[in-house]
Amino acid sequence: MAVTSGKEGKSSSSMDQGKYVRYTAEQVEALERLYHDCPKPSSIRRQQLIRECPILSNIEPKQIKVWFQNRRCREKQRKEASRLQAVNRKLSAMNKLLMEENDRLQKQVSQLVYENGYFRQQLQNASIATTDTSCESVVTSVKHQQQNQLTPRDPPRDASSAGLLSIAEETLTEFLSKAKGNAVEWIQMPGMKPGPDAIGIVTISHGCTGVAARACSLVGIDPSKVAEILKDRTSWLRDCRSVDVVTVFTTGNGGTIELLYMQMYAPTTLAPARDFWTLRYTSVLEDGSLVVCERSLTGTQGGPSMPAVQHFVRAEMHPSGYLIRPCEGGGSLIHIVDHMDLEPWSVLEVIRPLYESSTVLAQKVTMAALRHLRQIAQEVSSDVVLGWGRQPAALRTFSQRLCKGFNEAVNGFTDDGWSMMGNDGMDDVTILINSSPSKLLGPQFASSDGLPALGGGIICAKASMLLQNVPPALLVRFLREHRSEWADSTFDAFSANSWKASPCTVPSSRIGGFGGGQVILPLAHTVEHEEFLEVIKLENNGLTQEDAMLSRDMFLLQLCSGVDENAVGACSELIFAPIDASLADNSPLLPSGFRVVPSDSGMDGSSPNRTLDLASALEIGSAGTRTSVDYGGNNSTFRSVLTIAFQFTFENHLRENVATMARQYLRSVVASVQRVSMALAPSRLGSHLGPRLPPGTPEALTLARWVCQSYRFHLGVELLRPNTEVNESVLKTLWHHSDAIMCCSLKSLPVFTFANQAGLDMLETTLVALQDISLEKILDDNGRKSFCSDIAQIMQQGYAYLPAGVCVSSMGRPASYDRAIAWKVLNDEENPHCIAFMFMNWSFV
C-alpha cells in the first residue's frame, strides 16, 4: 500500500479496513497520464496497466478502479460547473439584450403614440379648413416640393479621405440605428426561438427596401479576434468567391477605411453571380465597443466608382456590419446586421424568392457568421482532435475546399479557364471544359503525378431543375443514405482512378450498377450538427471483368449540410470528391454533388401584425428551441431548385468520349432524382424524434418498446427507468443510455440494424452505415467462438451473459468491455425479431 500525501485519500476511502488509500505524487502522475489516454478502462485494461507500470504494482486493481471512478466523477463535476457558468453568462447576456430590446420597443410605442396624436390633430384641422386655405396650402406644398427637387438631398462628395470619412460616419450612424434602434422593423425569424442553447436571437426585416437580417449572440472570443474573423469573409461565407482590398487608410480618430471589391457565387445555374463595391469602416466607440460597418458606394454618394464586371450583376449593400462589445467574464456580445438589395429583377421569376427572402439571407450569411464563431470558440476552448487524427482547422479547410470547388463548377467563370462545349441538340445539360485545372485545384496539382502529366483537363456536366413538395433536407438525406438509388459504381471508380498516372477506359453508363454497399466514416461535424464531414468507403464487389483495372478500394470525401427540416430557408447540400486513403492535406479535390435551395415566396412568414416574441427566449434545451415548420401550409405547394454538377478528368484524345459519357450520366442521375422526388413528395414526411432507422426495420419507437419489453420479460428487471412510459421517452432514454446497446438481425450472417448513441460511438460509425456492418466483423476470434456457443442458449433461454472481451470498431480500433448481455427481442406476436446486445463499461484500448 502506497502511503504518501495526495488528493486521492478521501475519495478512495474504505478500501482497506476503513483506512484512507494515499498515493505518491509519482503514482498520481502516472494515473493521470493513463486517465488521459483511457478514462474508462476495463478490468482487463486495468490489470494490463499494473503490469506495464511498475510504480503501480503495489496497488490492488480494485483500488485503481475506485481511483478512476472518482477521477471521472471529478471531471464530470468540473465540466458541469463549467457548463453552468457558460449558461449563466449566456443568460446574463441575453437578459441584457432583452432589456435593450424592451427599451427599443417602449421608445417605438411612444413614437407611435405621438404620431397617432399628431395625425389625429391634422385630420381635425383639415376638416374645418376652408377651400381657399386648402388651395393655398396645395400651392405652397407644390412650391416646397419643387425647391426640394432643385436642392440635392445628398450633395456629391469628393473621393478624398475627407469625403470617404463623411460617408463612413454616415454609414456608422445608419448601421447603429439598425443594430440597436428602430430604423428597420424586425420580426422573429420563422422556426427560431432564442435560448441558452440556441445560436442567438435572430430576426428578419419586414417592409424595408431589399432584404435584411439581424442577430444578437454571445461568443467566447475576444472582440478584436471576432472582428478579424468576420472581416475574412472567404473563410466563413461559402458563397463568397473573393474579397479584394483596393484601398486602405487610417482616419484621424483611429479608425480604418477600406474600399473592397467582393464577388459572390450564384447558388444555381439559373442565375448570374453578384458582386459588390463597398466601403468598410472599422472604429471603436466611446464605450469601448468595436464596430465594423459597410455599405455600397454608388454614384449618388459621390464616392469612387468601380466599372461593371462581365458575368456579374452589381448588387447593393445597405449599411450593414458588426457591433462587438466586450462581455463581463470574457467573450463578446455581438450584433450582426446584413442588409442588401440583390437585384431580383435580373433572375427568372421562378427563383426570384431566393433574392427577395430575408430568411434566406439570414441562413446563408447572418447565421453562418455566428456558427463559424461558435465553432472557432469551441475549438479554442478545448484541444479537439477529430477523425483520422486531424485537427479541426484542417478538416474545416477540407469543407471549404469542397464548397468552393462545387461553386466554381456551378458558376463556370471564364477567368478560371472554363468554356462551353456544344450540345447534342438538347439544352437540358450544360457541358463545360477546363484545360487549365491548376487554376482551380491549386499549384500543387500541377507538380503531382496526376492529370497535367497526361495532357488533359476537366469536364463539368451540370443542370438545374424545379422540384415541388419535396423538402430539401429530406431529399439530400435520402441521396446521402441511398447512394445506390442514383449512383453508378463504374463512374465512381473512373473518378477515383483518374488521379492516377495509369490511364482508365471511359465507362459506359449502367445505372443501378452500384456493385456494393457504402460505409460512412465520420470525420467531423459542426456545433449544431447542421454540417457533417465524412469519408465514404465504397465496397464495389460487382465490378465486371472489363473493369478489373479499376480500384476496388474507393473513398470519397463528402460534405453534407442542411439536413434539418425545421431550418426555414436553409440550403441543403451533398458534395463529394474522390480521394485516396491517405487523405493528405494538399490532396487535389474535384467536387461533384447536389444543392437544393428552397424557392418559396412564403418563407419569411412575415405579417404586419407579427411581433418579436422575446419573452420565450429563456426556454432551456436545444431540442425545444425550434418549432416545427410547415412548408407552404397544409394544402399549398412549395418549390425548391435542385442544382447538380459532376466533374470528370479527361485525356486529350478522350475528350469527346468523356463529354458524351458525362452528359449521359448526368441525365441518368437527373432521371433517378426525379423518380426519388416523386416518391418522396406525396408522403409529406416530417421530422421524427431521435434517429432514423434504415429501410426494412420497424419504426424507431416500436423497436425501442420491443427491446425494453423483451429485456424485462427475459431478465425480470427494467432496462430503463421505471417512470419511462411514453414511447417517445422510451426511445430518447434508450438512445442516450450510457451503455452500448445494439440490435442484430437473425440471419445466417447477422448484421446490425440499430444502435444507440453509445453503440455508434463504440463502433465509430453512423446509423446509416450501421446496416453495412456484420456482427462477425466486430468480434475477435474469442468473441466469435463464444457467440457460437451462446447463440443456442439465447434462442432457448432468451438471454445469455457474455464474459469480458474485445470488439473492433469500423475504424479498426479495439474496444474492451467488462461484460455484456445478449437477449432475444420479441415483437408484438411474441415472435423473435432480432438479438439485442448491451456492452457495459466499454472503452477504447
Side-chain angles (χ1 to χ4, degrees):
M1 177 90 48
V3 183
T4 321
S5 60
K7 297 181 180 179
E8 305 304 323
K10 295 182 180 180
S11 59
S12 305
S13 60
S14 66
M15 286 300 303
D16 185 15
Q17 297 178 358
K19 296 181 180 180
Y20 290 113
V21 178
R22 298 183 182 276
Y23 301 89
T24 64
E26 291 80 6
Q27 289 173 332
V28 172
E29 183 180 356
L31 289 171
E32 287 289 349
R33 286 197 307 269
L34 297 175
Y35 177 83
H36 180 73
D37 295 336
C38 182
K40 196 176 182 181
S42 63
S43 59
I44 298 177
R45 178 59 173 157
R46 290 193 298 270
Q47 294 174 2
Q48 182 182 358
L49 295 178
I50 295 176
R51 292 193 300 268
E52 294 176 352
C53 192
I55 199 173
L56 302 177
S57 59
N58 60 339
I59 304 178
E60 297 180 3
K62 192 172 184 180
Q63 296 172 354
I64 293 182
K65 177 180 179 180
V66 173
W67 186 93
F68 274 94
Q69 289 175 346
N70 295 335
R71 182 63 177 83
R72 289 195 300 269
C73 182
R74 290 197 305 274
E75 182 70 15
K76 184 177 180 181
Q77 291 174 348
R78 185 190 64 80
K79 290 182 178 180
E80 180 65 13
S82 177
R83 187 190 70 84
L84 292 176
Q85 290 175 359
V87 171
N88 181 63
R89 287 197 304 270
K90 192 162 188 178
L91 289 173
S92 300
M94 291 186 63
N95 180 61
K96 185 176 181 180
L97 292 175
L98 290 172
M99 293 176 63
E100 292 177 355
E101 187 69 18
N102 184 54
D103 293 340
R104 185 186 69 83
L105 292 175
Q106 287 182 351
K107 292 178 181 178
Q108 185 177 4
V109 169
S110 301
Q111 179 68 18
L112 291 175
V113 170
Y114 171 78
E115 292 178 357
N116 183 49
Y118 173 77
F119 287 126
R120 182 175 297 176
Q121 184 66 33
Q122 290 294 321
L123 289 174
Q124 293 177 355
N125 295 339
S127 62
I128 60 176
T130 61
T131 304
D132 294 340
T133 305
S134 299
C135 294
E136 183 179 352
S137 300
V138 171
V139 173
T140 304
S141 176
V142 171
K143 290 182 179 180
H144 182 67
Q145 292 177 4
Q146 291 176 349
Q147 291 176 358
N148 288 340
Q149 292 174 358
L150 294 175
T151 304
R153 183 175 181 182
D154 293 320
R157 288 166 284 208
D158 56 23
S160 64
S161 300
L164 293 177
L165 180 59
S166 176
I167 298 176
E169 294 292 347
E170 214 174 77
T171 304
L172 175 61
T173 302
E174 294 186 38
F175 161 69
L176 292 177
S177 67
K178 297 175 183 179
K180 302 175 63 177
N182 298 317
V184 173
E185 180 184 353
W186 301 108
I187 62 174
Q188 182 174 314
M189 180 176 169
M192 291 293 298
K193 268 191 176 182
D197 292 325
I199 192 171
I201 300 176
V202 184
T203 56
I204 58 175
S205 63
H206 171 72
C208 74
T209 303
V211 291
R214 184 184 69 167
C216 311
S217 184
L218 173 68
V219 294
I221 309 176
D222 293 335
S224 58
K225 184 65 175 179
V226 170
E228 178 185 346
I229 293 173
L230 293 178
K231 290 171 75 171
D232 184 16
R233 273 202 185 94
T234 55
S235 67
W236 59 267
L237 184 55
R238 299 289 173 81
D239 287 345
C240 183
R241 185 192 185 205
S242 63
V243 177
D244 297 324
V245 181
V246 180
T247 304
V248 57
F249 61 89
T250 58
T251 60
N253 58 3
T256 304
I257 292 179
E258 302 166 282
L259 299 185
L260 308 177
Y261 175 67
M262 179 173 63
Q263 292 183 346
M264 302 283 287
Y265 293 111
T268 173
T269 61
L270 303 177
R274 263 59 181 162
D275 64 352
F276 295 85
W277 170 241
T278 63
L279 177 146
R280 185 166 66 189
Y281 181 38
T282 306
S283 62
V284 179
L285 302 182
E286 295 179 355
D287 61 356
S289 300
L290 185 60
V291 178
V292 180
C293 56
E294 188 173 357
R295 79 176 306 163
S296 289
L297 291 174
T298 59
T300 58
Q301 298 163 342
S305 60
M306 168 69 71
V309 179
Q310 188 180 10
H311 306 304
F312 286 87
V313 174
R314 183 63 50 82
E316 182 178 359
M317 181 183 295
H318 297 289
S320 308
Y322 318 107
L323 171 61
I324 312 166
R325 295 184 288 178
C327 188
E328 296 181 4
S332 305
L333 195 60
I334 179 173
H335 296 251
I336 301 179
V337 174
D338 292 300
H339 190 180
M340 302 179 184
D341 186 349
L342 299 175
E343 305 296 337
W345 57 267
S346 63
V347 300
L348 300 174
E349 185 176 357
V350 68
I351 62 172
R352 199 164 292 172
L354 294 178
Y355 298 85
E356 296 176 332
S357 171
S358 296
T359 301
V360 173
L361 178 69
Q363 286 281 3
K364 295 177 65 175
V365 183
T366 313
M367 295 175 64
L370 288 182
R371 289 191 180 107
H372 185 72
L373 289 173
R374 295 185 70 187
Q375 191 71 29
I376 296 294
Q378 184 190 52
E379 295 171 5
V380 171
S381 62
S382 59
D383 186 15
V384 181
V385 178
L386 301 176
W388 293 23
R390 298 304 178 90
Q391 294 292 333
L395 297 180
R396 193 168 60 247
T397 301
F398 277 123
S399 301
Q400 295 168 354
R401 290 177 57 196
L402 284 173
C403 285
K404 184 176 180 63
F406 184 75
N407 279 323
E408 293 288 355
V410 170
N411 287 263
F413 295 116
T414 56
D415 58 350
D416 283 329
W418 290 106
S419 60
M420 186 175 297
M421 295 184 66
N423 58 37
D424 58 351
M426 301 176 60
D427 57 358
D428 57 332
V429 175
T430 301
I431 300 294
L432 299 180
I433 184 172
N434 193 326
S435 299
S436 304
S438 59
K439 292 183 179 180
L440 294 174
L441 304 177
Q444 73 277 4
F445 181 68
S447 60
S448 67
D449 295 330
L451 184 73
L454 303 175
I458 299 174
I459 282 180
C460 174
K462 57 184 181 179
S464 293
M465 55 189 291
L466 182 67
L467 303 176
Q468 288 193 351
N469 295 338
V470 182
L474 182 60
L475 177 60
V476 166
R477 190 162 58 233
F478 185 91
L479 295 175
R480 171 178 177 260
E481 298 176 1
H482 305 278
R483 187 179 182 87
S484 59
E485 293 293 332
W486 56 269
D488 187 343
S489 60
T490 58
F491 287 90
D492 290 326
F494 174 77
S495 298
N497 283 271
S498 61
W499 300 107
K500 302 179 181 180
S502 58
C504 298
T505 305
V506 178
S508 58
S509 179
R510 295 197 304 267
I511 290 302
F514 195 88
Q518 64 170 345
V519 178
I520 299 179
L521 309 176
L523 281 181
H525 59 76
T526 52
V527 176
E528 296 185 327
H529 292 75
E530 80 280 349
E531 183 176 284
F532 301 89
L533 183 67
E534 52 204 13
V535 171
I536 308 299
K537 181 181 179 182
L538 301 178
E539 298 177 343
N540 291 287
N541 301 319
L543 294 177
T544 61
Q545 186 66 30
E546 65 185 24
D547 298 327
M549 69 184 70
L550 300 181
S551 172
R552 300 179 68 87
D553 294 328
M554 293 179 290
F555 297 89
L556 300 176
L557 182 65
Q558 181 167 278
L559 180 70
C560 182
S561 62
V563 293
D564 182 7
E565 294 178 28
N566 291 329
V568 182
C571 170
S572 302
E573 294 178 329
L574 184 68
I575 305 173
F576 48 87
I579 58 169
D580 56 25
S582 64
L583 191 61
D585 292 340
N586 61 347
S587 299
L589 297 179
L590 194 63
S592 303
F594 307 86
R595 172 180 292 153
V596 192
V597 185
S599 177
D600 189 73
S601 57
M603 280 185 294
D604 287 355
S606 56
S607 170
N609 299 323
R610 188 176 181 183
T611 59
L612 175 61
D613 179 18
L614 293 179
S616 60
L618 299 182
E619 295 181 7
I620 298 179
S622 58
T625 55
R626 290 184 178 178
T627 58
S628 179
V629 177
D630 184 9
Y631 291 87
N634 295 329
N635 300 315
S636 60
T637 61
F638 58 92
R639 298 178 297 185
S640 56
V641 177
L642 169 65
T643 298
I644 309 175
F646 280 74
Q647 299 189 79
F648 303 91
T649 58
F650 68 91
E651 301 173 53
N652 282 334
H653 67 283
L654 295 175
R655 185 179 68 176
E656 295 299 328
N657 294 339
V658 174
T660 302
M661 175 272 297
R663 182 181 288 109
Q664 294 175 352
Y665 182 51
L666 191 66
R667 285 173 178 163
S668 63
V669 171
V670 168
S672 300
V673 172
Q674 287 176 333
R675 184 180 67 253
V676 170
S677 301
M678 292 178 62
L680 294 178
S683 62
R684 303 289 300 210
L685 294 178
S687 58
H688 297 280
L689 176 65
R692 287 180 174 268
L693 292 182
T697 62
E699 292 295 332
L701 301 178
T702 304
L703 181 59
R705 180 170 53 84
W706 289 351
V707 169
C708 297
Q709 288 178 352
S710 300
Y711 187 88
R712 180 174 61 249
F713 175 76
H714 295 306
L715 285 88
V717 294
E718 295 288 348
L719 176 63
L720 307 178
R721 296 190 304 269
N723 58 351
T724 305
E725 298 177 356
V726 185
N727 283 345
E728 289 81 356
S729 181
V730 170
L731 175 59
K732 186 175 181 180
T733 307
L734 184 69
W735 177 254
H736 294 290
H737 198 282
S738 58
D739 294 323
I741 300 177
M742 312 170 193
C743 292
C744 192
S745 63
L746 290 172
K747 299 180 180 179
S748 57
L749 181 62
V751 295
F752 290 104
T753 58
F754 172 79
N756 66 349
Q757 185 61 65
L760 297 179
D761 294 340
M762 179 178 176
L763 297 179
E764 293 189 290
T765 186
T766 64
L767 199 57
V768 179
L770 184 67
Q771 57 186 326
D772 297 319
I773 301 177
S774 64
L775 179 63
E776 185 180 17
K777 286 184 178 181
I778 74 163
L779 297 177
D780 59 3
D781 292 338
N782 294 331
R784 282 192 288 269
K785 294 177 181 178
S786 175
F787 178 75
C788 291
S789 61
D790 292 334
I791 184 65
Q793 179 184 351
I794 296 173
M795 299 305 297
Q796 181 178 1
Q797 181 178 317
Y799 70 96
Y801 289 99
L802 309 180
V806 177
C807 288
V808 181
S809 74
S810 61
M811 302 288 288
R813 287 208 294 169
S816 63
Y817 55 90
D818 278 354
R819 63 192 182 99
I821 302 176
W823 69 96
K824 181 171 57 176
V825 177
L826 306 176
N827 58 19
D828 292 333
E829 288 76 27
E830 297 187 359
N831 295 322
H833 175 74
C834 63
I835 296 178
F837 293 87
M838 182 165 62
F839 298 92
M840 287 167 278
N841 196 23
W842 69 272
S843 62
F844 288 114
V845 178

